[in-house]
Amino acid sequence: MSGTTNDFRPDGHDEMLASVQPSVEEVDAEVRAKLTGQSVASIASQAEDAFATIGVQLTGEQLAAYADAVSRGAAFAIELVTES
C-alpha cells in the first residue's frame, strides 16, 4: 500500500477549506465596503446573505447590532458560537 493512505487527515480537509473559503473578517470587510451608510434594514438583509455563504448565521440581535454598526461605520466584534 502507498504511504498516502496514512497521510490522510480529516482535519486537514477542514484546513484546506479554510484556506479557500473567505473568513468572517473578509466577509465583514466586503459588507462594509459595499454597504456602509446604507439603511440598517438593507444592510441586515445583505449581510445575513453574505455570512450565510460561509456558513455563519448571526442571531437576530447580533444581525441588528451589526447592521447598525455598519450603517454608522462603527466597529463591531462578531462573536461566533459553535454548536456542539
Side-chain angles (χ1 to χ4, degrees), residues 11-60:
D11 61 329
H13 181 70
D14 291 341
E15 291 169 10
M16 181 183 72
L17 286 178
S19 68
V20 174
Q21 190 175 48
S23 69
V24 169
E25 291 82 10
E26 290 170 323
V27 172
D28 175 48
E30 183 177 322
V31 167
R32 288 174 178 279
K34 292 180 181 177
L35 304 176
T36 296
Q38 292 189 22
S39 74
V40 171
S42 177
I43 293 167
S45 174
Q46 294 181 64
E48 184 174 34
D49 291 345
F51 283 110
T53 65
I54 62 167
V56 173
Q57 183 176 4
L58 301 177
T59 66

Side-chain angles (χ1 to χ4, degrees), residues 55-83:
V56 173
Q57 183 176 4
L58 301 177
T59 66
E61 186 176 296
Q62 286 175 315
L63 188 58
Y66 175 75
D68 180 62
V70 171
S71 180
R72 295 181 292 112
F76 184 85
I78 298 172
E79 295 181 26
L80 301 177
V81 177
T82 57
E83 295 180 12

